[in-house]
Amino acid sequence: MSKLVSKISDSELQVMRVLWEAGTELPIAEIRKTLEVRSDWDTSTIKTLLRRLCKKEVVLATKKEVFYYKPLVTEKEYNEYSTQKLIDKLYSGSAKNLIASLLGSKKLDDEDIEELRTLFKVGDDN
């Protein structure tokens, strides 16, 4: 995974989410229409963010009658990479320590804990 994925800013991430949700390449008009609801950015800001994402090679721009944009990184890939970077940074690479921290700080309710138990049992032959 490109190290540039880790350099996606919060604003750029909002643009990526629009592209991921669409599931297909989008012209800037569609991206702008969606972002108008979520932000107060003007067209030049959106173009700048898309240009940066293309330069980071996480979005591809294809010229048709207008430019169409599509993500080169899936949301799952981005989330997995970001999660691992967080675990590495805060918990020295230990996912177990992350879970222990969440349990210790009461960030998980009983339903969350039960879901995790079910996930941990996947592949368990007992």
Side-chain angles (χ1 to χ4, degrees):
M1 175 92 36
S2 167
K3 288 187 177 186
L4 293 174
V5 168
S6 67
K7 304 229 186 274
I8 293 175
S9 70
D10 290 344
S11 297
E12 292 166 345
L13 186 55
Q14 288 187 53
V15 175
M16 291 297 292
R17 286 195 172 117
V18 170
L19 294 171
W20 289 326
E21 289 166 8
T24 187
E25 62 184 4
L26 291 176
I28 192 163
E30 289 297 316
I31 298 167
R32 187 181 65 241
K33 186 170 31 168
T34 302
L35 287 172
E36 281 177 355
V37 176
R38 301 178 188 181
S39 71
D40 59 354
W41 298 334
D42 60 25
T43 301
S44 65
T45 301
I46 296 167
K47 284 181 180 178
T48 298
L49 292 169
L50 284 164
R51 195 169 32 256
R52 287 182 192 164
L53 289 165
C54 289
K55 189 173 183 178
K56 292 176 182 181
E57 298 179 349
V58 294
V59 167
L60 177 66
T62 305
K63 178 77 169 151
K64 296 183 182 178
E65 64 279 0
V66 296
F67 277 103
Y68 280 73
Y69 298 88
K70 73 174 181 178
L72 297 176
V73 175
T74 67
E75 186 173 18
K76 182 178 187 231
E77 290 169 331
Y78 175 79
N79 288 340
E80 287 174 356
Y81 181 84
S82 298
T83 300
Q84 188 59 54
K85 294 298 283 182
L86 175 76
I87 291 169
D88 290 346
K89 181 178 180 178
L90 299 179
Y91 300 99
S92 302
S94 172
K96 180 184 78 170
N97 289 345
L98 168 63
I99 299 297
S101 174
L102 291 170
L103 288 169
S105 64
K106 308 285 189 222
K107 296 291 183 190
L108 300 173
D109 62 24
D110 290 340
E111 186 177 324
D112 293 333
I113 293 169
E114 195 53 44
E115 273 186 58
L116 286 171
R117 277 193 183 112
T118 301
L119 289 172
F120 287 134
K121 287 179 184 176
V122 171
D124 187 6
D125 292 334
N126 295 340

